[in-house]
Amino acid sequence: MKVLMFGWEFPPHISGGLGTACYGLVKGLVHHKQDIIFVVPKLWGDEEPLADFVNASGITIDYRERRFKEIWKSLTYLEVSSFLVPYLGPEEFSRYTEHAMSEGAEVDESVFSSKFEFSGKYGKDLMKEVSRYALVAAQIAKDKEHDVIHAHDWLAYPAGVAAKRISGKPLVAHIHATEYDRSGESVNRAVFDIEREGMMAADHVVAVSHLTRKVVIEKYGIPADKVSVLHNAVLDASIIESSVKKKVPEKIVTFLGRITFQKGPEYFVEAAKKVLDRDPNVRFVMAGSGDLLNRMIERVAELGMGTRFHFTGFLKGQDVDDMYAMSDVYVMPSVSEPFGIAPLEAVRHNTPVIISKQSGVAEVLQNAIKVDFWDVDAMADAMFGLLHYESISKMFKELGSEELKKLKWEHVAEKLVKVYDTLHQNHTAS
């Protein structure tokens, strides 16, 4: 099977779990002898050669062809003035201007330059790049032979839809996070519309958890028989033996993720206060960045926890591994988490985890303590128990490491290949 796949990032140049998931999935598909054409807005040259990578910045568009003009007229692009990544919340999406490109509208000729240079980042021109990426996708779909199209998340949905319009091949829309996960009920309608239109146009929708599938069906009105679940996995199930040593005698409880509404950082702070009231000899770390960072710093100061609470800022690479290794407990108190790979990485570092019941990973990680994100008393009790009862901590470490062995991308890819085969057979028969 030849798969034309559209993403927005690929390791080692990633900003979150989306790129990591794309890497794992491609690796699993290659294991099952699938031929992958992976398109990204910008190639950096150091990507692992797993697929036939296509640099969207290097594609020349024959935009004056009638079909390309029709695709452009159906697109809407936004001028976004704030820093964005595809997971962020309402404050990041709050400052924008919407420009609907109608059939009679006069368009700046520079928009239709024959070749676009994409930044490959999540800056102020992100949504304009999303629209241009769709035009490039149409050209690629015209030029590249393929059997099925696969688009990852809302940034790539317009590209997937445009490719389908040109080639007529079946489209898989892979939903890693929804606008409801990022923003709660205060959704950005423009992003919601892109998500819904992409999923409605798709021949099949893949959700990363049953939690996400439920949202897709109930909030977006996607037919239930069109949506299946493929949980994420880990690239390597082996336990990481780290030589890093923490520089403090106290035990460490860590929150590592984006400091946004979706991740529930405020519940972590409130639970930390309850633990410190019982045992002041514990240190808490909040590693990451996001729109709620300043508010969390202020709340920690209000609660008088400044000497026991540390903010590291955004971590990447080896620093992330070292943080997991130094931690005695990892907590993911997400309000709405489509999946959540971070707890699996914590388990790989032999760190026991506490996760919210409102996360997709809770569906596959059985040997973890699960609490409702809003129940700070239960969260604090779980932290205290893992910190003070070694037998409980040891049990979760041992059982968690065994459980990882079942969560392989090869297993996920095997199920996805069956989806591809069904779509291809139906398309061929029609």
Side-chain angles (χ1 to χ4, degrees), residues 341-374:
I341 291 177
L344 302 181
E345 292 300 317
V347 172
R348 286 195 65 212
H349 288 81
N350 222 16
T351 302
V353 301
I354 301 169
I355 56 179
S356 74
K357 294 177 181 178
Q358 292 73 27
S359 64
V361 73
E363 297 172 11
V364 297
L365 191 59
Q366 303 306 317
N367 293 293
I369 297 180
K370 303 170 189 178
V371 299
D372 289 306
F373 71 86
W374 44 262

Side-chain angles (χ1 to χ4, degrees), residues 271-284:
K273 173 59 176 173
K274 292 180 177 293
V275 172
L276 289 173
D277 286 344
R278 298 165 69 179
D279 180 2
N281 293 314
V282 180
R283 289 183 184 266
F284 291 85

Side-chain angles (χ1 to χ4, degrees), residues 79-105:
E79 298 283 3
V80 181
S81 61
S82 57
F83 177 81
L84 296 178
V85 299
Y87 314 96
L88 293 185
E91 291 188 26
E92 280 79 4
F93 284 108
S94 63
R95 298 185 300 276
Y96 68 90
T97 302
E98 182 170 343
H99 300 272
M101 309 307 294
S102 63
E103 183 169 347

Side-chain angles (χ1 to χ4, degrees), residues 371-384:
V371 299
D372 289 306
F373 71 86
W374 44 262
D375 194 343
V376 293
D377 289 310
M379 196 182 302
D381 287 342
M383 292 178 186
F384 189 87

Side-chain angles (χ1 to χ4, degrees), residues 347 351-353 366-369 386 391-401:
V347 172
T351 302
V353 301
Q366 303 306 317
N367 293 293
I369 297 180
L386 289 173
S391 59
I392 297 177
S393 178
K394 182 180 179 182
M395 177 189 71
F396 279 111
K397 288 179 182 180
E398 293 174 352
L399 293 177
S401 63

Side-chain angles (χ1 to χ4, degrees), residues 40-51:
V40 286
K42 185 179 181 68
L43 282 179
W44 301 90
D46 53 357
E47 292 83 3
E48 187 177 337
L50 291 172

